[in-house]
Structure formats: structure tokens, C-alpha cells
Amino acid sequence: MVSLLCCGPKLAACGIVLSIWGIIMLVMMGIFFNVHSAVLIEDVPFTEEVFEDSKPPSKMYKLYEQVSYNCFIAAALYVFVGGWSFCQMQMHKRREYMVR
Amino acid sequence: MGSLFRSEEVYLTQIFLQVEAAYCCIAELGELGLVQFRDLNPGVNNFQRKFVNEVRRCEAMERILKFLQNEIETDGIVIQKCDDNQKAPVPRDMIDLEAVLEKLEGELQEINQNQQTMKQNFLELSELKHLLKKTADFFEKEARVADESYNEDTSNLLELQSAGKLGFIAGVIKRERLLAFERLLWRACRGNAYMKHSEMEMVLEDPVTREPMKKNTFIIFFQGEQLKQKIKKICEGFRATIYPCPETANERRDMAAGVSTRIEELTLVLGQTETHRNRVLQEAAKNLQSWMTKVIKMKAVYHTLNLCNIDVTQQCLIAETWCPTADMDQIKRALDVGTSRSGSTNAPIMTVVQTRMSPPTFNRTDKFTAGFQNIVDAYGVGNYREMNPAPYTIITFPFLFAVMFGDCGHGTVMLGFALWMVLNEKQLLAQKSDNEIWNTFFSGRYLILLMSIFSIYTGFIYNDCFSKAINIFGSSWRVSPMFLNGTWSEELLQSSTTLQLDPAVPGVFSGNPYPFGIDPIWNIATNKLTFSNSYKMKMSVVVGITHMIFGVILSLINHIYFRNVLNIVLQFIPEMIFIFSLFGYLVFMIIYKWCNFNVHNSQYAPSILIHFINMFLFNYSDKTNGPLYIHQQEIQSFLVIFALIAVPWMLLIKPFILRARHLKSQRMLQSPTTGGIEEGEAELAHSSHASSSDHGGHDGGHGGHDDHGGEFNFGDMFVHQCIHTIEYCLGCISNTASYLRLWALSLAHAELSEVLWTMVMHIGLSSGGYGGLIIIFIIFAVFAVLTIAILLVMEGLSAFLHALRLHWVEFQNKFYSGSGYKFCPFSFAAIVSGEAEA
């Protein structure tokens, strides 16, 4: 069985930092997309047909919400990355105490 | 009086110590770390000082300790860190320590020597063993060849065999030399020698250099005695080792067996030597750190003893030290402890000495203020008792950094980094890394903490978070009134790419500006830069002029402290007049224009820059640039003339007054009447009092007070004053422009941030559907790495550098002379941790 410890301590630390930042930032971005913030309009992938709407701006809002769901799920993926990096750190710390 | 506003009072004291007590007293002072010794024997060579023998002995011990450390580290034994509170041992303990160290060194060297010889033996035996094996192969092959060709005609070997007996030489040579060896052999023996070689698979260790060696075995067949001598010489030349190899198979087998047993015995002995060496080194490793501390402290004490003078009666040592006034009691107590430790009865005597030398500058800092004091001292250590820029730098430096860096997202990431460093201070300090970059960042952790907090604040003001604005309070701009009350329509929406919100239309701009910071609607405006550039440039000028005026006011405080009334009247007042009437007026114009023009009359708003230039040219006939307010012409003319008066005021008056003073004091000295002498003495007393209260503190007063009978060079004085005036006046203009870098860097930061978002994050967010999910996941990682590398590290260092330059040049040249020298106390803590030279 392949050893569970596959990255060094520095890589694990970088992973933890990146995941914490990713979780916080992606969750906040998801929230801001969810409340249809006007500042983020250029990041929403809209096309011409969005403007031919019977009940504007519901199509636009739907697009906003799609992006926000993407952000939330990416944040969840980063939770996994963070958890895995954290486990690697713990394994490293335990190894330091073991007598070689 | 200890405070960070100016450096502490430092007195020159003479300490009289008994010779027996001297060592212990100085050791106690070293532990205390508050006293700086002066070198009383500057002309004496290092080798002629009194305690040179003791220093030599200490250095010999240091050499042994370094050798031990080397050996311990090559063996991979960890040196224990003991608590470094070892006191410097008394001189009689030094002899014991010396003996122990020398014995250890001798033992270790003997072990090393033996190990080397045994390894050499081992090497030879291994080579011999391999050689025997290989030659056995050779001979068998030869015999087989002989058998096979026995049936054939004219085999060369048969002829050779019949002609004479073949001799052979067997040996071992390094692989690199083999090819050259073979070629030389061929040429030298004219092809009459036959060589076979094969590689030795086992890699052997060179006993001296401990490097692995690769060798080959060879066997050379030849005929005749002369050839044998030649071949032997060639082998010696190539440093190939020749081994005696018996000819018959039986003898070879016996020899191989003998060699094997010897190798086994040798391996056993080598193993035991190794364990013995390891044990010795482990014993040494336990005490190594404490020995090193003791020796370093001893050497430091002897160096300091060398700086002192021995008086005439040879009974007493005289040391001259700079002591901070606030610590006198502690120093006296340390001296008493030292005397009691040495068992001497006479107490040391400490007296304060009046001197004209300028004392060192001592700023008492703790771990928070040390960072800021360091960046001030990096430019120049302040003069004695001069205003210290450090306490203001604690706030202005992070603020100017934040003006150039302003982004709350980046500020938050930086805050995380700074908090990690500050909260884990103790662990990180204990690690004692060698990496200089890390040490620089770590020693500036409080700077980074403050810089990040201020950046978050300016990020909120610029309303910039990873280049996006945050709408907290609700924007003050509305779009629908443009349709209802204004000129917009459906056709306009279809046909144009950009639309302009007109605040003159009622309802578009609510009249209440956004409560804190820049309105978030500017983030999505295409003319965002036009607005923000104008704002940031004017703000930089206002901040800059305020900073510089603050610097000039600090110079007033300096003049007051050093009681330099002349400077106040002849330098401070014209400086203030100049900067206020010209640049203070510029600030006034900026703020007036901001307050007085709105969208309804903005097309008539004049250009401030043109007005400023025309002010100097007294040109009021430009009709395209209307006046800002009525009577502007009169006020501006008055201000310019007032400022121009200030220039000769600064330039001309002071040298003449100083010359008059000098002449008057000379006349006083030469006056023969007693009244005159009394006046003269009073004058002398007054000026010596003045001189002792301001040693070396002010600029431009060189000829002023220090010259009863000294030199007064009027030409020098005048040129000096001229340079100061020109530097100040032209500097005001150029330094104001220099502060525009606050605008430039903040623009660069904002643009880089926007580009990074548009080109990296945008790709992730705008790919719709579920593929976009994975893309966002990966792109965020790329975005984070690029943000840290470009925006945090590069822009952060850049903003740091420019903020530092603004402090060092534009702010400090208004009041700081920075030509003092730093107070470096004799402190064991500093020496042992490697910060100070022993």
C-alpha cells in the first residue's frame, strides 16, 4: 500500500493556507453573487438572449445564482483539500516524535 | 529621562577598580549590558596590550571547541542547547577548563589517527582480496586458452611460453587513471607488455578524505627484468598500488584465506573504535554549548580589560565608560556584586567626568519600537539628545505605506501573515534560523502588523477589495431618474456602448455622498481613473505638505531644546513663512476648489496648477482661467512677496550675526579691565554652559559657541548658510512633487489588481455550467499564488521602499541631522547571540 504521507511539511502548510483563504474568499464571493451585486456584473457569463426577458431581470438573476453555486461548491472542494493537508501535517508531527 | 522622543542622557564616568576585583566587576557589567567602554589605549597594538596572553589562551580554547564541534557535527550527533545563563568563570577556573579541553582534543586526535591507519590497512586488504579473486580468473582463462590452442598451430602464447618465462605484476589503480596508464604502458613497452584489467564493483572509502573511490584491478604480463623495472616505475608514477601475487593456485588460495581472516578482525576493531569515538563525542556534546558560552564571555571580558588603563601605582585599573543616567544605580549595584564575588575588600569608585566629546545616542526600545527605531537608524543615528523621528514613524510610516497599498483584501492576507508571526513569536525566536530573508521579515513583524491594519483602513477608503468595490451603505447614484427626468430612452440604450449619468439631473445623485470612502458605483464606471487620479494626486500633495510642515515644527522643538534662539528667529520663522505662504496656500486652493464648485458651475472651475504658476509669474491676464475668489490677485501677490522676503532673511542675516558674536567674544577675552574680565568670565561661563547643554546638537552653529579663540571662517559660514537656503527652498518644491509617488504607486497597485482579476479570476467565474466548477477550483489557486507573488511581495516591498524614502529624505531633511553614533553597550547577551563583535 502506498504510504499515506505523500507531501512534505512545507507543501502541507501551503495547502492549509491556500484552503483557508479559498474557503473564506469563495464563500464570500458566493454570497455576493447570490445577492446579485452589481459590481460583479462583468464576471457573470451573460449573452444577448438574457436581455430578451419576459420578466426582467430574472434570467440575469438565475445566472448570478448559478455562478454563486459554483463558488460554494468550489469552497466545499477546498474544505476537502484543507482537511487532507491538515491530516498530512498531523502525520508529520507524529513522525517527529517517533524514534527512528 | 527615558522616552522615545529624544535619546537618553548619557554621562562619561570613570571607574576605578582594584586589579583583583576588575575581572569580576567587568563580568557583572557584561551581564547587565548597560555600559559602553571607551578604548583608553587606542594607539597600542593588539599584541602589546596587557592581557594579550589570556586572550591567546581563550582563542586556543575556542579553536579546540570549534574542532570538537566539527567532529560532532560530521558524526551527526545533536548538540544539546543548555540554558545560556552561564556566568563567566573566574580566572582560576580557566585553567581547569583548559586542561579538560586539551585532554579531550588529544584523545580525539589519537582516536582519529588510529582510525585512519586502520582504515588504510582495511583498504589494502580489501583490494588484495579482490585482486586475488580477479587474478584467479585471469589465470584460469589463460590456462583454458592455452589448452584450446594447444591443438592449433602457432599459437603465440605457446611460442612465448617456449621462449621464456612470463612474469606478471598485479595491482590496483584508480578508474580515472586507467586509460592513460594503459596507453603509456603500451607506448613505453613498445607493445611488449600485455595488460588485462577489470572493474572492482565494491566502492571503497578513502581513509583520509572519506570520499568514495572507484578502482580497477589490473595484471600486466611481461618478459624480462628490464621491462619489469620499467613497468614498476610507471606504476609508481600513476600511484597504482602493486600487490605481491603468488603464482600457483594453491598459494593464492592460502593467501585469500589469510586475507579474509585479517579483514574480519580488522572490521571488528574498527567497529569498536567507532563506538568509542562516538561515546567520547557524545560526552563532549553535552557540555559543548556551556563551554562555548564560558569561553566567549571570558574572551569578551579580557578584551574589555585591554581597553582600560593601569594607573601609576599598578594597584588599580581605570575604565572610562558611557553610562545612561537612568541606570546609574543598577551599575553601582553590579559593581558591588562583582567586588564581593572576587573577595576583594575595596569598593570600586565611580565618578562622573565632564567632557566635550559628544556622547553616544541611546534609545531605549522594546520589541515593538525596535523595528521602527531600526529603520530610522538605518539612515543615520541621531545626534545626542536630538528629536528622535521614531515615535512619529510608528504611525506615519504604516500610513504612507497604506496610502500606496490600499486594498482591504490584500491587507487582510498580510494581516494573517503578521498575526501568525506575532502570536508565535516565542517559538519562532527559539528556532534561530540562518535564512537572512526570513530573519528580516521576522524582525519587522510589528511593522508588517501595523502596515496591514492601516492598509485595510485605506482599502475601505479607496473601496477596493481584490479590485472590486464593496457596497456597504448603498450607492448615492440612481439610474432610473435618468430615464424619468433626463434624456435617456430605449433607443439610446440600444445604440451606445457607454452611457453617462448626469448629476445635474435631479435624483441621479442623491446629494448625500457615500458615508465612508469612494462610492462603489465608480468601480464599474469606465471613467473611474479620471476621477480617482484627480482625487489621489491632490490628496498626495496635501498629505505631503502636511508631513513636511510637521517636520519643520519638529525642528523648532530641537532649537528650543538646544536654546538656539538665533536659529528660531533666523531659520525656523522664514522656513515656516516660505512653506506656508506658497504650499500652504496651494493646499488651501485645493480644498477651496473641492468645496466651492459643484456640477452646475464646474465648467467654469479654474485650473489650480495654472493659477499656481501664474502666481509666481505675476501673470493675471489669462482670461481662460477665471479667478477662484475675489481679491485673489492681491492676496496671491502679497503671499509671493512675503515668501520672497523670507529667502534673504534665511540666507544673509545669520552669518553676519555669528561673525559679530565672534568678534564680541574675542574683544571680551582681550579686555584688560577687571570688569571686563569678570564680564568675560561670565560670558565664558555662559557660553560653556550653553556648550555643555548642546554638544553637537544643531546645524550651522559651528563657529557660534565653540570658539573662544578658535577659528571662525566667515566664508565657510556663508557658503553653509547658502546651501541650506537653496536646499530648503528648492527642496520644498521638489519634495512636494516627490510626494506624488503616493498617487503613482496606489494607481499601479489598483491597476495590477484589476488586471489580475480580469485575466485570471474572470476566466474561472465566467465559464458557466458545471465545468466552470472545476475551473474555478484550479483558477483560484493560480489567482492566490499570483496575488501573493506580484501584489503582496512585489508591490508590498515597493510601497515599503517608497514610504521609507519619503521618510528618510523628504521628512527628515527638515529637521534631522543624524550624524551621531549608536550606543553599543558591553553586553554578554549581544555577544553570545552573535549580534555584537566580541
Side-chain angles (χ1 to χ4, degrees):
Chain A
M1 174 162 156
V2 179
S3 153
L4 276 177
L5 196 72
C6 45
C7 45
K10 290 199 179 132
L11 188 58
C14 285
I16 292 183
V17 170
L18 189 66
S19 338
I20 296 179
W21 182 359
I23 295 169
I24 298 179
M25 188 160 161
L26 285 169
V27 163
M28 298 220 71
M29 274 183 5
I31 295 179
F32 284 130
F33 273 110
N34 223 342
V35 298
H36 323 296
S37 148
V39 169
L40 292 168
I41 185 131
E42 280 152 17
D43 295 315
V44 175
F46 58 80
T47 51
E48 269 307 310
E49 58 188 29
V50 170
F51 297 110
E52 293 138 21
D53 201 357
S54 49
K55 267 194 305 178
S58 58
K59 272 198 194 165
M60 191 56 134
Y61 281 3
K62 248 201 190 44
L63 273 176
Y64 262 106
E65 273 149 37
Q66 244 186 336
V67 181
S68 82
Y69 294 148
N70 276 353
C71 285
F72 284 133
I73 302 181
L77 286 178
Y78 270 109
V79 171
F80 284 124
V81 170
W84 186 71
S85 305
F86 187 65
C87 285
Q88 299 284 316
M89 282 286 274
Q90 294 290 76
M91 278 200 268
H92 268 289
K93 280 216 183 93
R94 225 174 288 148
R95 244 201 199 178
E96 274 179 22
Y97 290 136
M98 276 179 8
V99 178
R100 292 199 211 183
Chain B
M1 195 175 350
S3 86
L4 210 51
F5 284 112
R6 54 177 90 246
S7 63
E8 295 205 4
E9 274 192 335
V10 170
Y11 282 155
L12 184 66
T13 60
Q14 271 189 342
I15 309 183
F16 296 85
L17 299 160
Q18 246 199 333
V19 178
E20 302 94 54
Y23 181 92
C24 294
C25 287
I26 294 195
E28 284 301 316
L29 287 178
E31 297 282 336
L32 196 57
L34 286 170
V35 165
Q36 179 177 350
F37 282 88
R38 271 195 71 233
D39 191 354
L40 289 172
N41 314 318
V44 178
N45 193 344
N46 261 338
F47 296 104
Q48 292 165 357
R49 297 199 186 219
K50 184 166 185 280
F51 293 94
V52 66
N53 281 331
E54 281 80 0
V55 173
R56 262 205 210 115
R57 283 160 70 190
C58 286
E59 284 188 348
M61 282 197 278
E62 255 187 345
R63 186 189 50 80
I64 298 179
L65 284 171
K66 280 211 175 61
F67 166 66
L68 282 174
Q69 194 178 16
N70 238 351
E71 293 289 316
I72 292 177
E73 274 169 12
T74 32
D75 264 20
I77 304 177
V78 172
I79 302 179
Q80 285 177 4
K81 302 235 184 260
C82 65
D83 65 24
D84 25 13
N85 236 346
Q86 303 279 333
K87 295 220 154 196
V90 282
R92 52 180 176 271
D93 289 347
M94 183 159 96
I95 307 179
D96 297 334
L97 193 58
E98 264 184 326
V100 166
L101 287 177
E102 278 176 12
K103 183 163 144 290
L104 251 182
E105 187 198 12
E107 211 178 312
L108 207 58
Q109 287 211 338
E110 206 183 308
I111 297 177
N112 279 351
Q113 194 75 9
N114 288 345
Q115 217 181 18
Q116 236 181 17
T117 351
M118 278 192 279
K119 279 203 176 142
Q120 186 72 24
N121 275 349
F122 184 73
L123 187 73
E124 287 175 3
L125 288 172
S126 316
E127 287 175 358
L128 186 54
K129 187 166 122 188
H130 278 266
L131 192 62
L132 289 172
K133 208 162 69 95
K134 291 289 170 172
T135 48
D137 294 338
F138 288 163
F139 279 123
E140 270 159 39
K141 258 188 254 160
E142 293 298 315
R144 250 181 283 127
V145 165
D147 284 337
E148 280 170 18
S149 58
Y150 192 62
N151 303 325
E152 295 178 17
D153 280 311
T154 59
S155 72
N156 292 339
L157 202 54
L158 272 178
E159 281 185 10
L160 268 168
Q161 275 191 335
S162 50
K165 214 168 106 14
L166 268 181
F168 68 92
I169 285 186
V172 173
I173 187 177
K174 279 203 185 148
R175 208 167 287 178
E176 304 93 61
R177 301 221 178 105
L178 184 66
L179 231 50
F181 180 56
E182 206 175 343
R183 202 169 299 153
L184 185 60
L185 205 61
W186 178 259
R187 290 212 190 109
C189 307
R190 288 177 231 274
N192 284 330
Y194 169 65
M195 170 166 158
K196 253 193 106 93
H197 59 88
S198 77
E199 289 183 357
M200 270 172 62
E201 308 86 21
M202 191 173 97
V203 174
L204 298 162
E205 190 187 298
D206 185 328
V208 178
T209 60
R210 297 199 192 169
E211 278 172 9
M213 293 187 302
K214 299 206 182 103
K215 291 200 165 174
N216 284 18
T217 56
F218 63 88
I219 177 163
I220 307 175
F221 291 95
F222 54 85
Q223 191 192 14
E225 197 55 40
Q226 277 185 339
L227 218 49
K228 182 175 183 179
Q229 297 302 327
K230 207 184 278 190
I231 292 174
K232 266 209 179 129
K233 286 225 175 71
I234 296 177
C235 288
E236 266 171 54
F238 274 86
R239 264 180 269 266
T241 18
I242 299 181
Y243 292 102
C245 196
E247 288 201 21
T248 55
N250 284 343
E251 280 177 32
R252 275 202 295 271
R253 263 200 298 272
D254 292 338
M255 197 183 220
V259 165
S260 298
T261 24
R262 277 166 68 196
I263 286 185
E264 275 172 28
E265 288 170 3
L266 208 54
T267 341
L268 208 65
V269 177
L270 265 176
Q272 284 181 344
T273 325
E274 188 65 39
T275 12
H276 178 57
R277 191 181 117 107
N278 220 343
R279 228 177 310 133
V280 168
L281 285 176
Q282 290 226 344
E283 280 295 319
K286 276 190 218 141
N287 301 328
L288 192 72
Q289 196 74 8
S290 73
W291 284 336
M292 284 221 104
T293 330
K294 283 190 189 161
V295 170
I296 291 178
K297 286 190 180 178
M298 259 199 292
K299 194 166 122 168
V301 172
Y302 278 119
H303 267 304
T304 318
L305 280 172
N306 272 339
L307 300 174
C308 308
N309 248 338
I310 302 265
D311 85 328
V312 196
T313 62
Q314 299 284 335
Q315 283 294 343
C316 141
L317 214 66
I318 309 178
E320 257 185 41
T321 61
W322 295 108
C323 310
T325 329
D327 299 324
M328 288 292 208
D329 294 328
Q330 273 190 307
I331 298 173
K332 284 210 176 87
R333 230 176 304 140
L335 286 174
D336 291 331
V337 170
T339 336
S340 61
R341 237 185 108 205
S342 71
S344 151
T345 45
N346 293 349
I349 308 173
M350 192 160 95
T351 55
V352 175
V353 172
Q354 295 290 341
T355 172
R356 278 178 179 266
M357 285 187 293
S358 69
T361 315
F362 178 43
N363 284 311
R364 216 180 281 264
T365 53
D366 57 14
K367 64 183 179 183
F368 176 67
T369 50
F372 298 98
Q373 187 67 50
N374 271 344
I375 60 176
V376 168
D377 286 342
Y379 183 65
V381 179
N383 286 348
Y384 180 62
R385 298 295 273 171
E386 187 183 35
M387 282 304 282
N388 184 13
Y392 319 107
T393 308
I394 297 180
I395 296 298
T396 57
F397 177 74
F399 181 69
L400 288 184
F401 173 87
V403 170
M404 292 192 265
F405 192 76
D407 185 316
C408 23
H410 300 147
T412 316
V413 177
M414 216 161 128
L415 183 67
F417 176 56
L419 275 177
W420 171 72
M421 278 199 291
V422 170
L423 293 174
N424 294 340
E425 238 179 10
K426 293 213 172 56
Q427 292 156 265
L428 292 171
L429 264 174
Q431 275 176 14
K432 284 206 186 135
S433 146
D434 273 341
N435 189 347
E436 236 187 275
I437 297 182
W438 163 252
N439 277 340
T440 314
F441 274 109
F442 182 67
S443 53
R445 56 195 181 281
Y446 287 103
L447 265 109
I448 300 182
L449 181 69
L450 250 70
M451 283 171 3
S452 54
I453 297 176
F454 278 67
S455 301
I456 297 179
Y457 171 74
T458 54
F460 276 118
I461 292 191
Y462 291 151
N463 215 345
D464 191 356
C465 177
F466 292 113
S467 84
K468 296 287 167 194
I470 311 181
N471 189 356
I472 309 177
F473 303 106
S475 171
S476 309
W477 293 69
R478 299 267 170 277
V479 177
S480 41
M482 283 307 284
F483 288 100
L484 302 171
N485 306 338
T487 54
W488 286 10
S489 59
E490 270 299 317
E491 298 84 42
L492 195 63
L493 278 184
Q494 304 291 349
S495 56
S496 31
T497 45
T498 58
L499 301 160
Q500 187 165 28
L501 288 170
D502 185 356
V505 172
V508 173
F509 180 62
S510 70
N512 302 325
Y514 193 71
F516 186 79
I518 296 186
D519 199 300
I521 197 166
W522 285 106
N523 193 276
I524 44 181
T526 46
N527 59 348
K528 159 170 70 154
L529 284 181
T530 318
F531 170 69
S532 79
N533 280 352
S534 160
Y535 159 66
K536 284 181 182 174
M537 277 200 214
K538 291 184 178 167
M539 169 203 71
S540 316
V541 167
V542 171
V543 167
I545 293 176
T546 317
H547 204 206
M548 288 198 289
I549 292 182
F550 178 55
V552 178
I553 294 178
L554 283 180
S555 81
L556 172 68
I557 303 185
N558 260 343
H559 297 321
I560 293 179
Y561 178 78
F562 291 118
R563 274 174 237 140
N564 209 335
V565 182
L566 199 66
N567 270 355
I568 298 181
V569 173
L570 294 180
Q571 223 166 280
F572 170 72
I573 295 189
E575 283 178 358
M576 284 299 260
I577 292 177
F578 188 80
I579 200 169
F580 260 113
S581 51
L582 293 178
F583 297 95
Y585 179 66
L586 180 64
V587 172
F588 164 75
M589 279 204 284
I590 291 175
I591 300 182
Y592 184 83
K593 185 173 169 185
W594 274 342
C595 297
N596 270 47
F597 288 89
N598 56 23
V599 66
H600 301 292
N601 52 6
S602 65
Q603 50 264 61
Y604 310 115
S607 154
I608 295 183
L609 199 57
I610 308 279
H611 269 302
F612 198 57
I613 297 175
N614 285 342
M615 180 167 107
F616 285 105
L617 302 176
F618 288 99
N619 172 16
Y620 295 101
S621 54
D622 190 0
K623 286 301 166 212
T624 54
N625 219 16
L628 263 179
Y629 52 91
I630 39 175
H631 301 305
Q632 181 177 12
Q633 180 174 350
E634 289 82 13
I635 295 184
Q636 278 187 184
S637 315
F638 166 70
L639 287 174
V640 174
I641 293 178
F642 201 20
L644 285 179
I645 292 177
V647 175
W649 183 351
M650 239 192 292
L651 173 67
L652 295 175
I653 306 187
K654 186 161 159 192
F656 288 106
I657 292 196
L658 286 176
R659 191 169 78 122
R661 261 199 199 170
H662 172 81
L663 291 175
K664 189 163 114 179
S665 69
Q666 283 205 319
R667 242 176 293 132
M668 285 294 162
L669 280 175
Q670 292 164 6
S671 165
T673 65
T674 49
I677 290 180
E678 275 170 41
E679 272 182 58
E681 282 174 3
E683 171 89 30
L684 275 174
H686 169 76
S687 34
S688 73
H689 168 72
S691 72
S692 69
S693 71
D694 63 352
H695 3 116
H698 57 89
D699 49 353
H702 307 298
H705 67 288
D706 222 359
D707 62 339
H708 333 284
E711 290 272 318
F712 178 75
N713 194 340
F714 182 70
D716 256 355
M717 252 340 298
F718 197 76
V719 168
H720 185 96
Q721 197 60 22
C722 200
I723 292 177
H724 177 88
T725 310
I726 294 180
E727 195 186 14
Y728 181 77
C729 298
L730 292 182
C732 274
I733 304 177
S734 79
N735 292 349
T736 306
S738 182
Y739 274 95
L740 282 171
R741 71 187 68 225
L742 293 173
W743 155 67
L745 260 94
S746 93
L747 176 68
H749 188 92
E751 288 303 294
L752 270 175
S753 185
E754 193 177 319
V755 161
L756 196 62
W757 182 280
T758 321
M759 302 200 104
V760 179
M761 206 60 169
H762 179 76
I763 300 177
L765 294 170
S766 53
S767 18
Y770 293 104
L773 185 67
I774 303 297
I775 299 184
I776 289 187
F777 178 70
I778 299 175
I779 289 235
F780 175 79
V782 177
F783 174 77
V785 169
L786 284 175
T787 298
I788 293 187
I790 299 178
L791 288 167
L792 283 175
V793 172
M794 185 184 87
E795 277 287 315
L797 285 175
S798 172
F800 181 96
L801 178 83
H802 285 285
L804 200 58
R805 175 251 154 76
L806 282 176
H807 275 78
W808 280 353
V809 179
E810 277 80 12
F811 175 56
Q812 285 179 347
N813 74 0
K814 301 289 179 289
F815 68 98
Y816 192 60
S817 37
S819 48
Y821 62 105
K822 204 164 165 140
F823 177 73
C824 310
F826 172 60
S827 152
F828 282 147
I831 295 176
V832 167
S833 68
E835 284 159 17
E837 283 296 310

